[in-house]
Amino acid sequence: MSNKIRISIAGANDFKIFELVDSFHDDNISFDLFGVDKPEYHFWSNVSYIEADSDEEAVRLAVNDVLNGANVIFKGLVQTHTILKEVLKKEYGLVQKKLLSHVSIIEISALNRPVLLTDAAMNIDPDIDQERLIIENAIDVAHSIGIKSPKVSLLSSAENFNPKMPSSVKAKDLTEYYQDKKIDAIVYGPLSLDISLSKEIAEEKKFTGPIQGDADVLVVPNIDVGNVLYKSLTMFANAKVGGIIVGTKVPIVLTSRGDSLENKILSLKFALKTI
Amino acid sequence: MSNKIRISIAGANDFKIFELVDSFHDDNISFDLFGVDKPEYHFWSNVSYIEADSDEEAVRLAVNDVLNGANVIFKGLVQTHTILKEVLKKEYGLVQKKLLSHVSIIEISALNRPVLLTDAAMNIDPDIDQERLIIENAIDVAHSIGIKSPKVSLLSSAENFNPKMPSSVKAKDLTEYYQDKKIDAIVYGPLSLDISLSKEIAEEKKFTGPIQGDADVLVVPNIDVGNVLYKSLTMFANAKVGGIIVGTKVPIVLTSRGDSLENKILSLKFALKTI
């Protein structure tokens, strides 16, 4: 019984959530659903539904559920900021890292491995100290999903250092910072997206650095770069994606209303791998 | 004779340039090639080859060719900065706008129209005044390729104004600036990539603004956003792309060594449409 995984869903009164829960039918997983108005779906035995008066209460119940042993929070039909506001309250003690950040997992058929992307959804324009915390959160996630020494690419527009380009300056400083650190990861930049992900282009450009098309983690210089990359891959490259917030006691799965069931499932599976 | 189009190529001693020139076999087009070492290809009659001692001289000859009536400069195997350095020299008088900027044309099969992207290659982190000039250069290009009232989307991470997000603030200010201006274009932002390019997502998100998946021009807040978008679309979404520098007396086609013949052809065709 104690090895069971408990997933807490805030904002659960929706058919898409029913479909999600139904697709995880597994005796080792149980779901605690919290939402306004109880739906009429027939859930299986390991699913409980508790009605709340408001989204805020549904979120409060879901967060309290973590204090009682739930392993993951899944954002259903509530606003991201409603969840974050509750999670960040000091009395819960849920924040474990110095900075919370968003990590996406991206699966593209042209690549033979998943790639992590951070931070495409939470930190807007991180300075070098914040970027360091974002990188370390992502390395922890990479380790937890089985990538022993992740190759972390610090994205910029090219692989050449350009003092006039802020992303390039930040990447160079971070690369130097991590050079002497004993971490199970290779952190390198500035690097273009193509050298990060294409062995052929890395060869064509005669790039000799430590990442040659085999990046495991893409770190973007600001949220706009991450957002546009995430969206272009999902809209036009048939990428499957999932996303979580990390740095808290349990991962918080963040999917948006418009996400497909497939992407919601991938997000939750990704979160489960990180616990 | 006087209606003939003359294309000047700087850095022309390469088989890819031969293939490009050969694919434009047309009595109304002539090519003036400038390069180090004359290649042994058999060009057709409207092609001339002039040998230069160095890349710099090839560029100088190509730029001078514009003063003698050439309509387009095509960057072959020379560095972009070598071309720009020459073009920017005041004695030529080639710079006609207050700011030079890069405009890409992107063709994705999922979209039924080409989309322009600016600036993914030249201006690094434009302030609001520079962004205004970038937008106006792109509107001119859109008009010249037949888009009468282009819908210009100012990209950010979402469609909501967020005072903490610089791209959002810049987009809002620019939208307000253009509201009362009599220009043949609709300029609007902040806007996400998905609402800019997907009617379905615009509907799903109940977005009621003037651009609903039908953007003609994407304006990025900084070069890194443009670069990653351009590369993700070419690498993973089979996009065909072409790119030119505008703001000069004649367009300057900028393709990179690694670009496919198809993309070089598209770039040159794009440039020819803008003259």
Side-chain angles (χ1 to χ4, degrees), chain B:
Chain B
M1 288 292 282
S2 61
N3 285 329
K4 264 196 183 170
I5 299 293
R6 269 174 59 203
I7 297 161
S8 178
I9 302 190
N13 48 340
D14 180 69
F15 186 69
K16 278 191 181 174
I17 300 294
F18 168 70
E19 287 181 300
L20 175 80
V21 168
D22 208 46
S23 70
F24 275 84
H25 201 140
D26 178 335
D27 283 344
N28 286 315
I29 294 180
S30 68
F31 284 89
D32 304 334
L33 310 188
F34 304 96
V36 181
D37 296 331
K38 191 170 177 179
E40 293 189 357
Y41 312 128
H42 296 284
F43 288 112
W44 37 289
S45 58
N46 281 345
V47 180
S48 72
Y49 193 102
I50 291 174
E51 227 174 306
D53 290 336
S54 62
D55 284 356
E56 286 72 18
E57 200 198 341
V59 166
R60 205 154 45 235
L61 292 169
V63 170
N64 270 288
D65 201 32
V66 171
L67 301 182
N68 294 322
N71 305 89
V72 173
I73 297 180
F74 188 97
K75 171 190 167 295
L77 300 185
V78 295
Q79 298 286 317
T80 302
H81 67 84
T82 311
I83 287 216
L84 287 180
K85 199 179 153 195
E86 194 70 18
V87 165
L88 291 171
K89 284 183 181 167
K90 281 191 181 162
E91 61 258 40
Y92 293 124
L94 290 185
V95 177
Q96 297 204 318
K97 295 286 178 71
K98 282 185 204 153
L99 186 83
L100 304 191
S101 59
H102 188 265
V103 179
S104 312
I105 188 165
I106 300 180
E107 297 183 358
I108 314 174
S109 55
L111 300 173
N112 55 2
R113 65 192 188 286
V115 173
L116 301 181
L117 168 65
T118 192
D119 177 333
M122 196 162 175
N123 293 285
I124 293 175
D125 195 13
D127 62 24
I128 192 159
D129 294 324
Q130 292 168 322
E131 198 82 90
R132 207 163 48 71
L133 298 169
I134 288 170
I135 288 169
E136 288 161 21
N137 281 354
I139 290 173
D140 284 348
V141 170
H143 289 161
S144 72
I145 66 168
I147 307 171
K148 280 183 189 154
S149 183
K151 295 195 168 185
V152 180
S153 167
L154 309 176
L155 285 187
S156 182
S157 296
E159 67 280 15
N160 307 315
F161 172 68
N162 179 350
K164 290 180 187 162
M165 192 177 285
S167 58
S168 166
V169 174
K170 192 162 67 169
K172 182 170 178 276
D173 288 351
L174 286 163
T175 301
E176 286 168 2
Y177 173 85
Y178 283 107
Q179 220 147 27
D180 307 323
K181 297 283 171 298
K182 286 190 176 152
I183 48 161
D184 285 328
I186 291 163
V187 180
Y188 186 86
L191 209 53
S192 60
L193 182 73
D194 46 357
I195 289 184
S196 303
L197 295 182
S198 164
K199 207 164 195 59
E200 292 70 35
I201 295 177
E203 276 171 20
E204 199 171 285
K205 291 193 175 175
K206 298 186 172 63
F207 182 71
T208 55
I211 297 177
Q212 298 193 27
D214 53 356
D216 299 298
V217 181
L218 303 174
V219 179
V220 293
N222 60 60
I223 197 172
D224 295 323
V225 175
N227 188 279
V228 96
L229 177 56
Y230 183 98
K231 284 177 178 161
S232 66
L233 293 175
T234 50
M235 290 175 72
F236 300 115
N238 292 316
K240 292 184 214 170
V241 294
I244 57 175
I245 287 177
V246 293
T248 41
K249 192 181 170 198
V250 302
I252 302 170
V253 181
L254 273 199
T255 56
S256 71
R257 207 180 183 109
D259 272 327
S260 66
L261 177 63
E262 193 175 24
N263 285 343
K264 285 184 200 285
I265 291 171
L266 180 61
S267 294
L268 185 49
K269 284 189 175 166
F270 176 41
L272 293 176
K273 275 194 200 165
T274 68
I275 62 178

Side-chain angles (χ1 to χ4, degrees), chain A residues 48-229:
Chain A
S48 72
Y49 193 101
I50 292 173
E51 227 174 307
D53 291 336
S54 62
D55 284 356
E56 286 71 17
E57 200 197 343
V59 165
R60 206 155 44 235
L61 292 169
V63 170
N64 271 287
D65 201 32
V66 171
L67 302 182
N68 294 321
N71 306 89
V72 173
I73 296 180
F74 187 98
K75 170 189 168 295
L77 300 184
V78 295
Q79 299 286 318
T80 302
H81 67 83
T82 311
I83 287 215
L84 286 181
K85 199 178 153 195
E86 196 68 20
V87 165
L88 291 171
K89 283 182 180 166
K90 281 192 183 164
E91 61 258 41
Y92 293 124
L94 289 186
V95 177
Q96 296 205 316
K97 295 285 178 70
K98 281 186 203 152
L99 186 84
L100 303 191
S101 59
H102 188 267
V103 179
S104 311
I105 187 165
I106 299 180
E107 296 183 358
I108 314 173
S109 55
L111 299 173
N112 55 2
R113 65 193 188 284
V115 172
L116 301 182
L117 169 64
T118 191
D119 177 338
M122 196 161 176
N123 294 287
I124 293 175
D125 195 13
D127 62 23
I128 192 159
D129 293 325
Q130 292 168 322
E131 198 82 91
R132 206 163 48 73
L133 298 169
I134 289 171
I135 289 169
E136 287 161 21
N137 281 355
I139 291 173
D140 283 349
V141 170
H143 289 162
S144 72
I145 66 168
I147 306 171
K148 279 181 190 154
S149 182
K151 293 194 169 185
V152 180
S153 167
L154 310 175
L155 283 186
S156 182
S157 295
E159 67 278 15
N160 307 317
F161 171 67
N162 179 349
K164 290 179 187 162
M165 192 177 286
S167 58
S168 164
V169 174
K170 192 161 66 168
K172 181 170 178 276
D173 287 351
L174 285 164
T175 301
E176 286 167 0
Y177 174 84
Y178 282 106
Q179 220 147 29
D180 306 324
K181 295 283 173 299
K182 286 191 177 150
I183 49 162
D184 285 329
I186 290 163
V187 180
Y188 185 86
L191 210 54
S192 60
L193 182 72
D194 46 359
I195 290 184
S196 302
L197 295 183
S198 164
K199 205 161 196 61
E200 291 69 35
I201 295 178
E203 275 171 20
E204 200 172 284
K205 291 193 175 174
K206 297 186 173 62
F207 181 71
T208 55
I211 297 177
Q212 298 194 27
D214 53 356
D216 299 298
V217 181
L218 303 174
V219 178
V220 293
N222 60 61
I223 196 171
D224 295 323
V225 175
N227 189 279
V228 97
L229 177 57

